[in-house]
Amino acid sequence: MAWIESHTVLMRHRKIMALASELRVRKSYAMGHLHALWHTALEQQEDGNMSRWTPDMIASCADYPGNAPQFVELLRKHGWMDG
């Protein structure tokens, strides 16, 4: 069984707060979107390279219902994804 490590500070991390603020969602939702994306990447892209994934696929894997390109842009802006 694959797993990821999640620290208690994540909910209060400045990058979560900034992402949540710009997405206009609760911090717990931003954290949930990240965990959903991380779980999918762990199952389907073990090396973490999502460069071939479209913004729509990334948003879908993160269960983010809003604007997919904006979501990916904000993940990059706030340091949750590499360019």
Side-chain angles (χ1 to χ4, degrees):
M1 176 187 308
W3 61 277
I4 61 169
E5 187 172 331
S6 181
H7 295 262
T8 58
V9 72
L10 186 59
M11 180 78 137
R12 294 171 305 284
H13 196 283
R14 63 180 169 73
K15 291 181 358 181
I16 282 284
M17 290 190 272
L19 178 64
S21 175
E22 289 205 52
L23 289 175
R24 297 185 179 172
V25 299
R26 298 175 66 94
K27 292 180 293 184
S28 58
Y29 290 9
M31 193 168 70
H33 293 310
L34 284 175
H35 274 90
L37 180 59
W38 293 341
H39 292 166
T40 303
L42 188 60
E43 293 171 351
Q44 298 182 25
Q45 199 69 44
E46 289 184 28
D47 65 359
N49 182 352
M50 293 183 278
S51 62
R52 291 185 166 176
W53 292 21
T54 65
D56 285 335
M57 182 175 176
I58 291 169
S60 177
C61 291
D63 197 34
Y64 180 72
N67 181 301
Q70 178 193 32
F71 178 65
V72 172
E73 177 185 325
L74 291 173
L75 289 177
R76 289 183 176 133
K77 176 181 177 181
H78 294 294
W80 294 110
M81 279 185 76
D82 293 333

